[in-house]
């Protein structure tokens, strides 16, 4: 090898070494350790003798799949995903289209809609918890003006989970709105004007010109939003503690509980099942929404 190229290669490895060391210690190491842990019977009582734990193969995974609570939280997580992702994307796209046609105060509304994203999730959840209170909550107070007796939104197994989804949509659509708004501004105006001159209505221009051009952006938005809903945790932790009757407990919440109970190997197995679900869903979204050209 040329001496100069050898020196450049050595310098590159020396510069990359600090990052690689930190990555191996704080990222790759824990990930691989938790993967190995999911195949053992490690509990909190084994911390002092970690090498005494036994290899149990796929027992933790089969135990999870047979656990009715885990099946319940899996259904809850799917509900969060199937209801939350389309709602969040639809609201974000609608607001982005509206702002794209706004001539004045666009920056003001953009900041206003994005503000919940950068606000503390705990603070937002506490406020929404008071808004949705059975007695004295703002939502039930407004409904009562029309003669309707509102339910205890967070106390019912029927309304608690949808209430959390609505709150989550309100908090998270700002990120996608900013992304969609940036993508809308890249749509060539000449194409829209050509379609308009051919007699296409506003809806037809949006459906046949704008939406196909937004396909990569929609794919990106679907992927990041789906990952977020599959890891749904903070809202339920603050507002309902997973209740009532586990109706708002998610897989991430279940995993958190297992680590709190000292069931480390079971928690690791649950985390990797969720990771597998994220990988499969992302692959499916790329298959369905990728550019066909």
């Amino acid at each position: 090898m040329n001496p100069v190229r050898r020196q450049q290669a050595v310098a590159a490895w020396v510069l990359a070494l600090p990052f690689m060391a930190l990555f191996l210690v704080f990222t790759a190491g824990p990930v691989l350790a938790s993967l190995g842990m999911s195949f053992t019977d490690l509990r909190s009582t084994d911390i002092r003798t970690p090498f005494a734990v036994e290899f149990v193969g796929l027992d933790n995974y089969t135990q999870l799949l047979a656990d009715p609570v885990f099946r319940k939280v899996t259904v809850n997580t799917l509900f969060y995903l199937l209801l939350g992702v389309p709602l969040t994307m639809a609201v974000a796209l609608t607001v982005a289209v509206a702002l794209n046609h706004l001539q004045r105060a666009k920056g003001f509304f953009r900041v206003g809609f994005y503000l919940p994203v950068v606000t503390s999730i705990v603070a937002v959840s506490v406020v929404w918890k008071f808004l949705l209170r059975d007695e004295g909550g703002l939502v039930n107070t407004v409904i009562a003006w029309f003669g309707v007796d509102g339910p205890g939104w967070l106390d019912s197994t029927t309304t608690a989970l949808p209430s959390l989804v609505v709150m989550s949509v309100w908090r998270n659509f700002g990120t996608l709105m900013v992304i969609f708004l940036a993508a809308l501004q890249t749509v060539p105006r000449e194409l829209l004007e050509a379609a308009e001159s051919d007699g296409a209505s506003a809806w037809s221009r949006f459906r046949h010109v704008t939406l196909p051009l937004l396909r990569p952006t929609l794919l990106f938005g679907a992927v990041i939003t789906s990952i977020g809903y599959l890891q749904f945790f903070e809202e339920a932790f603050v507002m309902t503690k997973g209740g009532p009757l586990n109706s708002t407990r998610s897989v991430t919440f279940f995993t958190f509980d297992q680590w709190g109970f000292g069931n480390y190997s079971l928690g690791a197995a649950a985390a990797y099942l969720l990771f597998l679900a994220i990988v499969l869903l992302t692959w499916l979204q790329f298959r369905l929404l990728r550019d066909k050209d």
Side-chain angles (χ1 to χ4, degrees):
M1 178 183 292
N2 187 306
V4 176
R5 292 184 63 85
R6 185 184 297 112
Q7 289 178 355
Q8 290 176 340
V10 171
W13 279 106
V14 169
L15 291 174
L17 194 59
F19 164 76
M20 293 177 62
L22 292 173
F23 178 78
L24 289 174
V25 172
F26 294 107
T27 302
V31 168
L32 294 176
S34 61
L35 177 61
M37 190 186 302
S38 70
F39 297 106
T40 69
D41 61 351
L42 180 66
R43 294 178 51 82
S44 58
T45 53
D46 300 317
I47 289 296
R48 292 186 176 180
T49 56
F51 294 105
V53 299
E54 295 183 0
F55 178 77
V56 296
L58 296 175
D59 283 1
N60 290 322
Y61 293 93
T62 55
Q63 182 180 343
L64 284 174
L65 296 178
D67 187 346
V69 177
F70 185 76
R71 290 204 294 263
K72 170 70 174 175
V73 300
T74 301
V75 172
N76 291 344
T77 305
L78 288 175
F79 195 92
Y80 282 127
L81 179 76
L82 297 177
L83 185 61
V85 173
L87 268 179
T88 304
M89 294 188 66
V91 172
L93 186 58
T94 303
V95 175
V97 170
L99 289 183
N100 195 42
H101 288 87
L102 207 61
Q103 299 299 325
R104 295 181 179 179
K106 184 184 296 185
F108 171 77
F109 287 106
R110 190 166 49 198
V111 171
F113 287 128
Y114 190 72
L115 202 55
V117 178
V118 296
T119 306
S120 165
I121 180 62
V122 175
V124 169
S125 299
V126 169
V127 171
W128 271 81
K129 187 175 181 179
F130 280 99
L131 292 177
L132 296 172
R133 286 177 58 182
D134 185 11
E135 296 182 359
L138 180 61
V139 174
N140 279 357
T141 301
V142 172
I143 291 176
W145 293 345
F146 301 95
V148 179
D149 188 17
W153 299 96
L154 299 178
D155 301 325
S156 166
T157 55
T158 305
T159 58
L161 197 151
S163 299
L164 294 187
V165 171
V166 170
M167 175 265 182
S168 189
V169 169
W170 171 82
R171 181 176 181 270
N172 293 315
F173 83 85
T175 301
L176 286 186
M177 176 208 69
V178 172
I179 296 171
F180 289 159
L181 185 58
L184 284 169
Q185 293 172 357
T186 65
V187 175
R189 186 168 296 276
E190 298 79 12
L191 291 178
L192 297 172
E193 291 174 349
E196 186 176 8
S197 64
D198 288 341
S201 64
W203 170 247
S204 295
R205 295 197 300 274
F206 177 75
R207 181 183 174 188
H208 298 293
V209 178
T210 304
L211 270 184
L213 292 175
L214 291 181
R215 198 182 187 98
T217 309
L218 292 173
L219 171 60
F220 174 73
V223 170
I224 63 170
T225 308
S226 299
I227 293 174
Y229 276 101
L230 282 173
Q231 297 177 330
F232 200 88
F233 173 71
E234 293 93 342
E235 294 88 343
F237 182 76
V238 175
M239 296 174 68
T240 64
K241 301 296 182 187
L245 300 176
N246 291 325
S247 62
T248 58
R249 196 177 298 273
S250 63
V251 173
T252 305
F253 204 140
F254 178 89
T255 304
F256 172 80
D257 283 343
Q258 296 310 310
W259 284 86
F261 298 153
N263 301 326
Y264 297 158
S265 56
L266 206 60
Y272 273 94
L273 284 178
L274 180 62
F275 170 74
L276 182 62
I278 291 174
V279 171
L280 291 176
L281 179 63
T282 303
W283 173 80
L284 183 64
Q285 289 172 328
F286 269 87
R287 292 282 298 177
L288 294 177
L289 295 176
R290 67 180 180 182
D291 199 344
K292 304 296 183 185
D293 295 333

